[in-house]
Amino acid sequence: KNEVEQSPQNLTAQEGEFITINCSYSVGISALHWLQQHPGGGIVSLFMLSSGKKKHGRLIATINIQEKHSSLHITASHPRDSAVYICAVGDGNYQLIWGAGTKLIIKP
Amino acid sequence: DTGVSQNPRHKITKRGQNVTFRCDPISEHNRLYWYRQTLGQGPEFLTYFQNEAQLEKSRLLSDRFSAERPKGSFSTLEIQRTEQGDSAMYLCASRRGTVGEQFFGPGTRLTVL
């Protein structure tokens, strides 16, 4: 069993839909990161969470420490949101433990 | 500061050649990380520096790989005698302290023919 699991692996939706990507982890963490990677591109950090909820524009990230679960939501999705979204957890040492990513496609 | 930069962005080389990549972190960030990402996979940790000290190396980092951060600022990652299996995106990230957010560079895509 992977230490960080994301679901779904692939998600295709229509423009305007509300998107939810889930991340569950099994290790103790110091923080959880949500990152975005466009095809052929580098990685952009979206959020770093250790508790509660954060919001940037149309993106919302929540974390439940007790349940070891986090969600990334996108409201009013747009084709430019199409990317791979990666959940990674910091173990308090030096490493990020990465999920496999969720490939999101938003169709116009 | 414009963020983490990496050079070159793309490198094509023949098997057996040596290659060197450079990462310039955000200036006040004392921690610098190298990751490797192969197609369809998540990034894999390679090594990290705190200032000029290399504190951890993954077992993925064979003796053909070496990384330096001589003055605690920019870092270089060298791969000697490249193999086709080295083809990947090499990502650099930096952060301030031990618990801050990691900021990623655009990556260097290596293709070994």
Side-chain angles (χ1 to χ4, degrees):
Chain A
K1 190 179 191 304
N2 294 331
E3 293 172 306
V4 179
E5 293 198 339
Q6 286 185 238
S7 62
Q9 287 186 326
N10 295 282
L11 178 57
T12 300
Q14 291 296 130
E15 183 173 357
E17 286 189 36
F18 181 81
I19 303 299
T20 296
I21 299 170
N22 295 300
C23 176
S24 296
Y25 54 93
S26 58
V27 295
I29 68 169
S30 59
L32 182 142
H33 303 254
W34 282 102
L35 309 114
Q36 179 192 57
Q37 187 171 34
H38 284 277
I43 292 176
V44 175
S45 179
L46 299 174
F47 295 103
M48 186 178 75
L49 293 166
S50 54
S51 65
K53 176 180 176 179
K54 286 190 177 180
K55 184 176 188 293
H56 289 157
R58 296 181 294 106
L59 300 178
I60 304 166
T62 63
I63 187 168
N64 184 317
I65 298 294
Q66 287 73 32
E67 294 185 3
K68 295 190 174 180
H69 180 269
S70 175
S71 294
L72 176 69
H73 304 286
I74 306 174
T75 61
S77 59
H78 190 276
R80 65 174 174 266
D81 297 326
S82 298
V84 175
Y85 292 84
I86 305 172
C87 168
V89 299
D91 65 356
N93 292 314
Y94 54 88
Q95 283 202 47
L96 288 182
I97 304 170
W98 302 80
T102 295
K103 184 175 182 180
L104 174 65
I105 298 173
I106 303 297
K107 293 185 174 180
Chain B
D1 193 295
T2 57
V4 180
S5 62
Q6 291 186 245
N7 289 287
R9 295 291 306 276
H10 303 274
K11 179 70 177 178
I12 300 174
T13 191
K14 292 183 179 179
R15 185 163 53 96
Q17 298 294 307
N18 298 343
V19 294
T20 300
F21 311 140
R22 176 176 170 131
C23 171
D24 286 87
I26 294 172
S27 58
E28 65 268 25
H29 287 187
N30 59 341
R31 288 209 167 191
L32 186 148
Y33 301 78
W34 284 101
Y35 297 90
R36 180 176 68 188
Q37 186 178 26
T38 52
L39 199 62
Q41 303 295 318
E44 300 168 300
F45 168 80
L46 293 179
T47 188
Y48 91 106
F49 292 83
Q50 179 163 303
N51 301 312
E52 67 276 7
Q54 188 175 17
L55 296 188
E56 190 67 35
K57 290 167 57 173
S58 164
R59 65 183 184 278
L60 295 172
L61 216 65
S62 76
D63 57 5
R64 297 184 298 105
F65 288 71
S66 62
E68 294 182 339
R69 194 183 182 197
K71 297 182 180 178
S73 56
F74 73 92
S75 176
T76 57
L77 178 67
E78 182 183 15
I79 309 174
Q80 295 182 323
R81 305 181 303 281
T82 52
E83 301 173 356
Q84 287 185 323
D86 298 331
S87 296
M89 175 78 86
Y90 290 83
L91 294 162
C92 174
S94 72
R95 74 177 183 186
R96 182 189 301 171
T98 59
V99 294
E101 193 168 348
Q102 288 195 24
F103 291 84
F104 286 83
T108 294
R109 182 171 295 283
L110 173 66
T111 302
V112 181
L113 301 176

